[in-house]
Amino acid sequence: MEFIDAATEILESIVPVLDEHPEYEENNVLERLVEPERVVMFRVPWVDDNGEIQVNRGFRVQFNSAVGPYKGGLRFHPTVNLSILKFLGFEQIFKNSLTGMSIGGAKGGSDFNPKGKSDGEVMRFCQNFMSELFRFIGPDTDIPAGDMGVSGREVAYLFGQYKKLSTVHVAVLTGAPMEFGGSLVRKEATGYGLIYIVDEALRVRNDSFKDKKVVISGSGNVAIYAAEKAVMMGAKVIAMCDSSGYIHDENGLYIPFIKEIKEVNRGRISDYLNYFKKEDLTAEYIENSVIWNVKCDIALPCATQNELSEESARIIVSNGTNYVAEGGANMLQH
């Protein structure tokens, strides 16, 4: 379903191009475009800390390599399925080609959930995942990266296993920690980039981030660094969330606490309240509710695909929000 929605949306948007170039249709370019070049599916057995064998599914959708090797992230999340990865891989073709670089489009991952797992469990899963994937990737073939649930820790485990199996040290995964040869500002790039784009939109309208109230969905890599840069620009980030609920403080959230909770402790957003004495606490935690109920000047969906439903859009409009910009939410609902 996700893939069909994405393909329909994109193909409808390029109708003017097809009208100008009937040869594309005559040569079935679209039929070739919407079909992945290769789909790899595999089983990933791994042993948890109790000695029990667990089994997850692994995927890699290598969608298109017309202009260069496949490039796209790996996602570890219980919602991962083939339709979602096909949709993400399909969009990746266009995102990568627009960079002007010679890179194709791909996406992959597993329904493994790293939340609540020990470092040892995550390591063993990553090693077994890469034991299946390594034969299908390489610096001139397919270069995966991180995505939801795959941060520097997971990339390091994946690369260690790739190096062990391939016996070569090559840049086959991007998003590695700095100590493993990663790029400076790689972690911040997507979130910072979103804020730079919104800042330009504000400038065109003789406006700025100064004193704006910002609501950001999510509390992963994109959301955290979008929040950090928005604060640098003079905004107040008043709400952020994870899958369990959201925190709200009209005085503005303290982003370093969010970073520690998510990047160091790998905890829940509700832990934010524990960082304050009761008499100093101005934030509130709202469980199982829509974050867009919080009134703001700028709304930044940065969590997952299809997160802005029609109902959420209506709430945002009724709240008087002036700007909405997507940062890694990968397609909004119709």
Side-chain angles (χ1 to χ4, degrees):
M1 183 63 180
E2 295 87 356
F3 171 64
I4 293 173
D5 285 346
T8 301
E9 180 180 301
I10 290 174
L11 296 180
E12 286 177 348
S13 71
I14 62 173
V15 167
V17 177
L18 300 177
D19 290 341
E20 287 186 21
H21 296 276
E23 67 272 19
Y24 293 165
E25 192 169 351
E26 292 167 5
N27 291 286
N28 291 332
V29 171
L30 293 184
E31 284 79 0
R32 285 181 278 168
L33 183 65
V34 299
E35 197 64 38
E37 292 176 4
R38 182 184 297 113
V39 175
V40 182
M41 297 176 60
F42 48 90
R43 162 184 84 181
V44 187
W46 57 280
V47 180
D48 66 22
D49 287 343
N50 295 320
E52 298 289 333
I53 296 175
Q54 305 294 332
V55 180
N56 288 95
R57 289 174 177 163
F59 306 86
R60 187 65 175 170
V61 179
Q62 296 175 328
F63 224 111
N64 196 294
S65 60
V67 298
Y70 306 106
K71 184 80 185 77
L74 295 171
R75 174 174 294 192
F76 292 168
H77 193 270
T79 61
V80 165
N81 59 44
L82 186 56
S83 177
I84 287 175
L85 294 179
K86 285 178 68 177
F87 136 56
L88 294 170
F90 185 63
E91 284 201 337
Q92 200 74 38
I93 302 169
F94 303 96
K95 289 164 65 175
N96 289 348
S97 63
L98 286 170
T99 67
M101 301 174 67
S102 298
I103 46 179
K107 207 74 178 182
S110 172
D111 56 2
F112 171 77
N113 187 2
K115 287 182 180 177
K117 304 292 193 302
S118 69
D119 287 346
E121 288 175 323
V122 173
M123 180 185 69
R124 291 190 290 275
F125 172 82
C126 288
Q127 289 173 337
N128 288 350
F129 180 88
M130 182 54 74
S131 293
E132 293 296 328
L133 183 64
F134 89 100
R135 66 200 76 193
F136 302 104
I137 64 175
D140 299 312
T141 306
D142 185 355
I143 307 151
D147 193 83
M148 184 187 299
V150 180
S151 61
R153 173 185 63 168
E154 286 76 18
V155 170
Y157 291 149
L158 290 164
F159 177 71
Q161 187 70 359
Y162 178 85
K163 181 175 177 291
K164 177 180 178 180
L165 295 169
S166 65
T167 70
V168 293
H169 193 293
V170 293
V172 74
L173 285 152
T174 56
M178 288 291 291
E179 56 268 29
F180 287 93
S183 300
L184 188 65
V185 199
R186 168 66 173 79
K187 183 167 59 173
E188 296 88 347
T190 308
Y192 278 21
L194 171 64
I195 300 304
Y196 290 140
I197 291 169
V198 175
D199 186 51
E200 286 300 315
L202 290 164
R203 287 172 186 270
V204 169
R205 293 160 179 81
N206 295 315
D207 206 347
S208 73
F209 268 105
K210 185 171 175 56
D211 298 326
K212 292 288 189 300
K213 291 184 177 181
V214 180
V215 169
I216 302 177
S217 66
S219 50
N221 182 263
V222 179
I224 286 173
Y225 290 98
E228 182 175 84
K229 181 56 69 173
V231 171
M232 290 180 188
M233 295 282 196
K236 281 185 180 180
V237 176
I238 61 172
M240 294 179 71
C241 68
D242 59 20
S243 58
S244 59
Y246 67 85
I247 49 170
H248 171 222
D249 189 342
E250 286 293 316
N251 297 319
L253 300 174
Y254 188 61
I255 308 306
F257 288 169
I258 308 290
K259 290 176 71 174
E260 181 172 315
I261 290 165
K262 291 297 181 178
E263 295 185 340
V264 180
N265 302 334
R266 303 184 187 277
R268 308 305 292 163
I269 199 85
S270 57
D271 296 343
Y272 182 84
L273 305 184
N274 299 331
Y275 281 72
F276 299 88
K277 295 179 180 177
K278 190 173 182 179
E279 59 270 21
D280 298 329
L281 184 62
T282 56
E284 59 178 343
Y285 171 68
I286 294 85
E287 193 172 12
N288 298 324
S289 184
V290 179
I291 193 173
W292 308 120
N293 288 318
V294 179
K295 291 185 178 182
C296 63
D297 302 304
I298 301 173
L300 303 177
C302 295
T304 187
Q305 73 279 344
N306 286 333
E307 64 170 289
L308 262 195
S309 63
E310 181 179 344
E311 179 186 356
S312 294
R314 290 184 185 279
I315 293 171
I316 289 172
V317 171
S318 67
N319 283 342
T321 300
N322 295 314
Y323 302 92
V324 179
E326 174 266 317
N330 298 96
M331 192 174 75
L332 308 179
Q333 288 186 21
H334 294 288

XYZ file of all heavy atoms in Angstrom, residues 28-93:
540
model
N 8.417 2.128 -22.531
C 8.095 1.536 -21.226
C 9.074 1.922 -20.112
O 9.424 1.093 -19.263
C 8.008 0.010 -21.340
C 6.808 -0.443 -22.146
O 5.793 0.238 -22.198
N 6.937 -1.600 -22.787
N 9.496 3.179 -20.130
C 10.425 3.641 -19.103
C 9.769 3.585 -17.721
O 10.394 3.184 -16.739
C 10.911 5.075 -19.410
C 11.696 5.645 -18.227
C 11.780 5.072 -20.652
N 8.494 3.944 -17.647
C 7.818 3.947 -16.354
C 7.701 2.546 -15.780
O 7.871 2.335 -14.575
C 6.427 4.572 -16.481
C 6.376 6.060 -16.818
C 4.941 6.559 -16.803
C 7.222 6.869 -15.854
N 7.385 1.579 -16.640
C 7.275 0.192 -16.181
C 8.599 -0.293 -15.596
O 8.630 -1.018 -14.604
C 6.847 -0.723 -17.328
C 5.368 -0.641 -17.690
C 5.029 0.573 -18.535
O 5.945 1.367 -18.850
O 3.846 0.733 -18.883
N 9.695 0.139 -16.208
C 11.004 -0.253 -15.690
C 11.357 0.511 -14.424
O 12.043 -0.004 -13.536
C 12.075 -0.021 -16.756
C 12.048 -1.056 -17.880
C 13.133 -0.811 -18.888
N 12.749 0.215 -19.856
C 13.611 0.790 -20.706
N 14.886 0.477 -20.664
N 13.191 1.685 -21.577
N 10.876 1.758 -14.355
C 11.200 2.610 -13.212
C 10.574 2.107 -11.919
O 11.190 2.164 -10.850
C 10.726 4.039 -13.490
C 11.031 5.101 -12.429
C 12.536 5.321 -12.299
C 10.327 6.410 -12.777
N 9.349 1.625 -11.978
C 8.629 1.254 -10.759
C 8.915 -0.175 -10.300
O 8.437 -0.583 -9.245
C 7.099 1.431 -10.929
C 6.770 2.877 -11.225
C 6.554 0.510 -12.007
N 9.707 -0.896 -11.051
C 10.047 -2.272 -10.657
C 11.487 -2.322 -10.171
O 12.400 -1.925 -10.875
C 9.872 -3.221 -11.843
C 9.792 -4.690 -11.477
C 8.571 -5.032 -10.638
O 7.490 -4.465 -10.879
O 8.716 -5.848 -9.709
N 11.741 -2.771 -8.941
C 13.120 -2.834 -8.441
C 13.984 -3.768 -9.285
O 13.506 -4.781 -9.799
C 12.963 -3.396 -7.023
C 11.528 -3.208 -6.675
C 10.761 -3.265 -7.952
N 15.250 -3.412 -9.403
C 16.184 -4.276 -10.118
C 16.419 -5.579 -9.353
O 16.587 -6.635 -9.954
C 17.517 -3.545 -10.335
C 17.400 -2.378 -11.303
C 18.699 -1.598 -11.445
O 19.729 -1.998 -10.841
O 18.698 -0.577 -12.152
N 16.415 -5.470 -8.021
C 16.634 -6.677 -7.213
C 16.034 -6.484 -5.832
O 16.142 -5.402 -5.255
C 18.136 -6.968 -7.068
C 18.459 -8.241 -6.285
C 19.955 -8.437 -6.073
N 20.666 -8.616 -7.327
C 21.538 -7.741 -7.832
N 21.798 -6.634 -7.181
N 22.150 -7.989 -8.974
N 15.382 -7.508 -5.320
C 14.887 -7.504 -3.942
C 15.482 -8.709 -3.222
O 15.306 -9.850 -3.657
C 13.347 -7.573 -3.878
C 12.886 -7.700 -2.427
C 12.720 -6.351 -4.529
N 16.185 -8.445 -2.143
C 16.805 -9.510 -1.342
C 16.047 -9.614 -0.026
O 15.879 -8.623 0.692
C 18.291 -9.202 -1.071
C 18.929 -10.338 -0.277
C 19.047 -8.975 -2.376
N 15.575 -10.816 0.291
C 14.905 -11.073 1.574
C 15.596 -12.253 2.249
O 15.935 -13.228 1.574
C 13.425 -11.390 1.367
C 12.627 -10.266 0.757
S 10.900 -10.731 0.424
C 10.348 -11.138 2.075
N 15.795 -12.159 3.550
C 16.510 -13.232 4.230
C 16.110 -13.306 5.699
O 15.558 -12.362 6.260
C 18.030 -13.052 4.111
C 18.529 -11.662 4.426
C 18.897 -11.315 5.721
C 18.631 -10.701 3.423
C 19.362 -10.045 6.020
C 19.092 -9.416 3.713
C 19.459 -9.088 5.009
N 16.381 -14.416 6.294
C 16.105 -14.666 7.701
C 17.316 -14.253 8.527
O 18.458 -14.464 8.125
C 15.808 -16.155 7.846
C 15.894 -16.735 9.207
C 15.655 -18.239 9.148
N 16.864 -18.991 8.806
C 16.895 -20.306 8.669
N 15.790 -21.007 8.765
N 18.020 -20.925 8.413
N 17.064 -13.666 9.708
C 18.154 -13.256 10.599
C 17.941 -13.873 11.979
O 17.260 -13.310 12.841
C 18.238 -11.718 10.729
C 19.495 -11.343 11.520
C 18.252 -11.043 9.368
N 18.509 -15.046 12.226
C 18.443 -15.621 13.578
C 19.551 -15.027 14.454
O 20.652 -14.770 13.979
C 18.682 -17.114 13.329
C 19.467 -17.176 12.065
C 19.157 -15.945 11.266
N 19.230 -14.780 15.713
C 20.229 -14.239 16.632
C 19.885 -14.689 18.052
O 18.765 -15.097 18.330
C 20.304 -12.714 16.546
C 18.993 -12.019 16.801
C 17.958 -11.858 15.933
C 18.569 -11.401 18.030
N 16.912 -11.185 16.525
C 17.258 -10.886 17.809
C 19.165 -11.220 19.279
C 16.543 -10.215 18.796
C 18.450 -10.553 20.275
C 17.153 -10.057 20.023
N 20.857 -14.621 18.936
C 20.679 -15.117 20.304
C 20.568 -13.948 21.268
O 21.435 -13.066 21.293
C 21.850 -16.033 20.713
C 21.661 -16.535 22.135
C 21.996 -17.199 19.746
N 19.483 -13.919 22.067
C 19.322 -12.832 23.039
C 20.134 -13.106 24.302
O 20.821 -14.146 24.410
C 17.842 -12.582 23.345
C 17.161 -13.761 24.057
O 17.865 -14.584 24.691
O 15.926 -13.859 23.980
N 20.060 -12.210 25.262
C 20.877 -12.335 26.482
C 20.453 -13.490 27.371
O 21.181 -13.877 28.291
C 20.813 -11.023 27.278
C 21.610 -9.902 26.628
O 22.450 -10.199 25.761
O 21.372 -8.726 26.982
N 19.272 -14.047 27.129
C 18.816 -15.208 27.895
C 19.177 -16.523 27.220
O 18.781 -17.592 27.682
C 17.295 -15.138 28.092
C 16.872 -13.953 28.944
O 17.542 -13.630 29.929
N 15.782 -13.296 28.565
N 19.914 -16.419 26.114
C 20.306 -17.624 25.394
C 19.223 -18.162 24.462
O 19.375 -19.248 23.898
N 18.140 -17.402 24.301
C 17.052 -17.826 23.426
C 17.308 -17.359 21.992
O 17.779 -16.241 21.766
C 15.717 -17.238 23.908
C 15.308 -17.693 25.305
C 14.880 -19.146 25.337
O 14.423 -19.643 24.291
O 15.009 -19.774 26.407
N 16.975 -18.199 21.024
C 17.134 -17.847 19.623
C 15.921 -17.048 19.151
O 14.786 -17.485 19.312
C 17.315 -19.099 18.742
C 18.609 -19.821 19.129
C 17.326 -18.723 17.262
C 18.815 -21.135 18.413
N 16.187 -15.888 18.601
C 15.150 -15.040 18.029
C 15.329 -14.996 16.509
O 16.438 -15.185 16.008
C 15.228 -13.614 18.591
C 15.184 -13.534 20.104
C 13.857 -13.991 20.683
O 12.816 -13.890 20.027
N 13.877 -14.509 21.912
N 14.268 -14.737 15.789
C 14.329 -14.697 14.328
C 13.610 -13.453 13.817
O 12.479 -13.173 14.198
C 13.691 -15.950 13.688
C 13.769 -15.865 12.162
C 14.380 -17.219 14.184
N 14.308 -12.704 12.974
C 13.725 -11.547 12.313
C 13.890 -11.663 10.801
O 14.612 -12.545 10.319
C 14.378 -10.247 12.789
C 13.978 -9.869 14.201
O 14.679 -10.192 15.157
N 12.858 -9.197 14.331
N 13.230 -10.768 10.082
C 13.361 -10.728 8.630
C 14.292 -9.593 8.218
O 14.228 -8.497 8.785
C 11.996 -10.505 7.968
C 11.070 -11.689 8.054
C 9.708 -11.326 7.496
N 8.807 -12.469 7.501
C 7.497 -12.383 7.386
N 6.924 -11.196 7.266
N 6.741 -13.458 7.387
N 15.125 -9.847 7.226
C 15.997 -8.818 6.672
C 15.645 -8.562 5.222
O 15.193 -9.471 4.511
N 15.851 -7.314 4.775
C 15.511 -6.924 3.408
C 16.577 -5.991 2.832
O 17.202 -5.230 3.561
C 14.186 -6.154 3.342
C 13.001 -6.825 3.972
C 12.751 -6.683 5.337
C 12.115 -7.572 3.209
C 11.633 -7.270 5.926
C 10.999 -8.163 3.787
C 10.758 -8.009 5.144
N 16.719 -6.026 1.524
C 17.419 -4.978 0.792
C 16.748 -4.840 -0.573
O 16.703 -5.803 -1.345
C 18.906 -5.291 0.611
C 19.716 -4.122 -0.006
C 19.768 -2.920 0.894
N 20.621 -1.844 0.379
C 20.672 -0.619 0.895
N 19.928 -0.323 1.935
N 21.468 0.295 0.365
N 16.177 -3.666 -0.819
C 15.526 -3.390 -2.105
C 16.477 -2.522 -2.915
O 16.668 -1.336 -2.627
C 14.179 -2.667 -1.898
C 13.530 -2.360 -3.248
C 13.244 -3.511 -1.042
N 17.115 -3.118 -3.905
C 18.040 -2.400 -4.779
C 17.235 -1.939 -5.996
O 17.029 -2.678 -6.951
C 19.209 -3.306 -5.153
C 20.034 -3.692 -3.925
C 21.138 -4.689 -4.220
O 21.007 -5.546 -5.098
N 22.232 -4.601 -3.481
N 16.785 -0.694 -5.929
C 15.754 -0.242 -6.859
C 16.293 0.150 -8.220
O 15.772 -0.266 -9.256
C 14.970 0.931 -6.253
C 13.493 0.793 -6.453
C 12.663 0.551 -5.376
C 12.926 0.883 -7.706
C 11.302 0.401 -5.538
C 11.563 0.735 -7.886
C 10.752 0.489 -6.803
N 17.319 0.984 -8.250
C 17.781 1.480 -9.540
C 19.250 1.884 -9.456
O 19.640 2.623 -8.553
C 16.930 2.685 -9.962
C 17.089 3.014 -11.437
O 18.148 3.405 -11.874
N 16.014 2.846 -12.191
N 20.038 1.397 -10.397
C 21.464 1.732 -10.439
C 21.845 2.343 -11.785
O 22.985 2.226 -12.228
C 22.310 0.472 -10.181
O 22.042 -0.514 -11.177
N 20.894 3.009 -12.445
C 21.128 3.550 -13.786
C 22.267 4.563 -13.819
O 23.027 4.620 -14.786
C 19.844 4.180 -14.323
N 22.395 5.365 -12.745
C 23.421 6.402 -12.763
C 24.579 6.117 -11.811
O 25.532 6.896 -11.742
C 22.814 7.791 -12.435
C 21.790 8.180 -13.479
C 22.211 7.820 -11.049
N 24.500 5.027 -11.060
C 25.586 4.716 -10.138
C 25.187 3.624 -9.164
O 24.069 3.092 -9.234
N 26.077 3.266 -8.241
C 25.773 2.205 -7.271
C 24.575 2.568 -6.405
O 24.284 3.738 -6.166
C 27.053 2.101 -6.435
C 27.761 3.387 -6.639
C 27.414 3.846 -8.015
N 23.863 1.535 -5.946
C 22.713 1.752 -5.077
C 23.144 2.498 -3.814
O 24.230 2.279 -3.289
C 22.103 0.415 -4.657
C 21.749 -0.505 -5.788
C 22.527 -1.639 -6.047
C 20.645 -0.258 -6.596
C 22.211 -2.507 -7.082
C 20.314 -1.121 -7.635
C 21.099 -2.250 -7.876
O 20.770 -3.102 -8.896
N 22.273 3.384 -3.328
C 22.572 4.135 -2.110
C 21.265 4.383 -1.367
O 20.295 4.853 -1.945
C 23.231 5.489 -2.455
C 23.666 6.280 -1.226
C 24.974 5.749 -0.697
C 25.385 6.443 0.601
N 24.620 5.958 1.757
N 21.253 4.060 -0.084
C 20.060 4.258 0.732
C 20.219 3.584 2.076
O 21.033 2.669 2.243
N 19.449 4.027 3.037
C 19.630 3.606 4.412
C 19.111 2.223 4.748
O 18.399 1.586 3.965
N 19.481 1.778 5.944
C 18.962 0.561 6.564
C 18.111 0.982 7.756
O 18.543 1.789 8.578
C 20.102 -0.344 7.044
C 21.009 -0.935 5.964
C 22.210 -1.624 6.618
C 20.243 -1.927 5.099
N 16.912 0.436 7.847
C 15.974 0.798 8.911
C 15.685 -0.422 9.772
O 15.284 -1.464 9.248
C 14.674 1.335 8.302
C 13.573 1.598 9.304
C 12.364 2.271 8.662
N 12.675 3.617 8.202
C 11.760 4.506 7.824
N 10.468 4.195 7.852
N 12.128 5.709 7.432
N 15.885 -0.290 11.090
C 15.525 -1.346 12.041
C 14.327 -0.858 12.857
O 14.458 0.016 13.720
C 16.683 -1.664 12.986
C 17.877 -2.309 12.329
C 19.082 -2.430 13.010
C 17.813 -2.806 11.034
C 20.191 -3.030 12.420
C 18.914 -3.403 10.431
C 20.108 -3.513 11.125
N 13.164 -1.430 12.590
C 11.948 -1.008 13.293
C 10.895 -2.092 13.102
O 10.822 -2.709 12.027
C 11.438 0.322 12.726
C 10.398 0.977 13.582
N 9.049 0.733 13.421
C 10.504 1.871 14.605
C 8.376 1.453 14.304
N 9.227 2.148 15.039
N 10.078 -2.367 14.124
C 9.097 -3.452 14.003
C 8.081 -3.267 12.880
O 7.451 -4.235 12.457
C 8.409 -3.474 15.382
C 8.809 -2.218 16.066
C 10.097 -1.789 15.475
N 7.914 -2.034 12.381
C 6.944 -1.808 11.296
C 7.512 -2.094 9.910
O 6.776 -2.016 8.922
C 6.447 -0.355 11.319
O 7.568 0.527 11.113
C 5.761 -0.025 12.631
N 8.802 -2.383 9.830
C 9.439 -2.568 8.519
C 8.823 -3.752 7.776
O 8.678 -4.845 8.324
C 10.958 -2.776 8.675
C 11.583 -3.334 7.389
C 11.633 -1.463 9.042
N 8.450 -3.501 6.524
C 7.978 -4.569 5.636
C 8.404 -4.233 4.218
O 8.967 -3.156 3.956
C 6.464 -4.773 5.730
C 5.679 -3.513 5.383
O 5.983 -2.826 4.407
N 4.674 -3.202 6.180
N 8.141 -5.117 3.286
C 8.622 -4.935 1.918
C 7.987 -3.718 1.257
O 8.663 -2.985 0.519
C 8.347 -6.196 1.094
C 8.924 -6.206 -0.327
C 10.426 -5.962 -0.312
C 8.600 -7.529 -1.013
N 6.702 -3.479 1.506
C 6.029 -2.339 0.879
C 6.661 -1.013 1.295
O 6.916 -0.136 0.455
C 4.535 -2.340 1.248
O 3.887 -1.206 0.708
N 6.934 -0.861 2.594
C 7.554 0.376 3.085
C 8.937 0.565 2.481
O 9.299 1.668 2.047
C 7.624 0.365 4.622
C 6.220 0.567 5.212
C 8.579 1.436 5.150
C 6.154 0.464 6.718
N 9.720 -0.508 2.400
C 11.070 -0.387 1.863
C 11.058 -0.124 0.359
O 11.916 0.607 -0.155
C 11.885 -1.636 2.188
C 12.155 -1.852 3.685
C 12.951 -3.132 3.901
C 12.899 -0.669 4.293
N 10.091 -0.681 -0.353
C 9.964 -0.368 -1.785
C 9.610 1.101 -1.976
O 10.152 1.775 -2.859
C 8.905 -1.262 -2.436
C 9.357 -2.693 -2.675
C 8.252 -3.534 -3.276
C 7.911 -3.102 -4.692
N 6.881 -3.979 -5.300
N 8.701 1.599 -1.162
C 8.324 3.016 -1.238
C 9.523 3.914 -0.959
O 9.809 4.870 -1.693
C 7.151 3.273 -0.290
C 7.226 4.518 0.549
C 7.393 5.770 -0.012
C 7.096 4.425 1.931
C 7.444 6.915 0.777
C 7.139 5.560 2.720
C 7.324 6.808 2.140
N 10.283 3.608 0.113
C 11.436 4.423 0.467
C 12.531 4.324 -0.591
O 13.167 5.328 -0.929
C 11.970 3.992 1.836
C 11.046 4.253 3.034
C 11.583 3.565 4.279
C 10.873 5.745 3.273
N 12.742 3.122 -1.133
C 13.753 2.934 -2.167
C 13.387 3.665 -3.442
O 14.251 4.225 -4.137
N 12.099 3.663 -3.786
C 11.622 4.357 -4.977
C 11.878 5.861 -4.862
O 12.405 6.491 -5.789
C 10.129 4.072 -5.169
C 9.540 4.639 -6.420
C 9.980 4.222 -7.672
C 8.531 5.585 -6.358
C 9.432 4.734 -8.834
C 7.973 6.103 -7.523
C 8.423 5.680 -8.762
N 11.539 6.433 -3.701
C 11.794 7.857 -3.499
C 13.288 8.170 -3.484
O 13.720 9.232 -3.906
C 11.164 8.323 -2.184
C 9.658 8.498 -2.253
C 9.124 9.411 -1.169
O 9.797 9.561 -0.127
O 8.036 9.984 -1.365
N 14.086 7.198 -3.009
C 15.532 7.408 -2.917
C 16.161 7.619 -4.291
O 17.163 8.331 -4.421
C 16.180 6.216 -2.214
C 17.553 6.494 -1.626
C 17.497 7.339 -0.366
O 16.609 7.191 0.453
N 18.447 8.237 -0.206
N 15.585 6.998 -5.316
C 16.100 7.185 -6.683
C 16.129 8.667 -7.021
O 17.136 9.207 -7.501
C 15.215 6.461 -7.717
C 15.115 4.978 -7.436
C 15.749 6.695 -9.137
C 14.047 4.273 -8.272
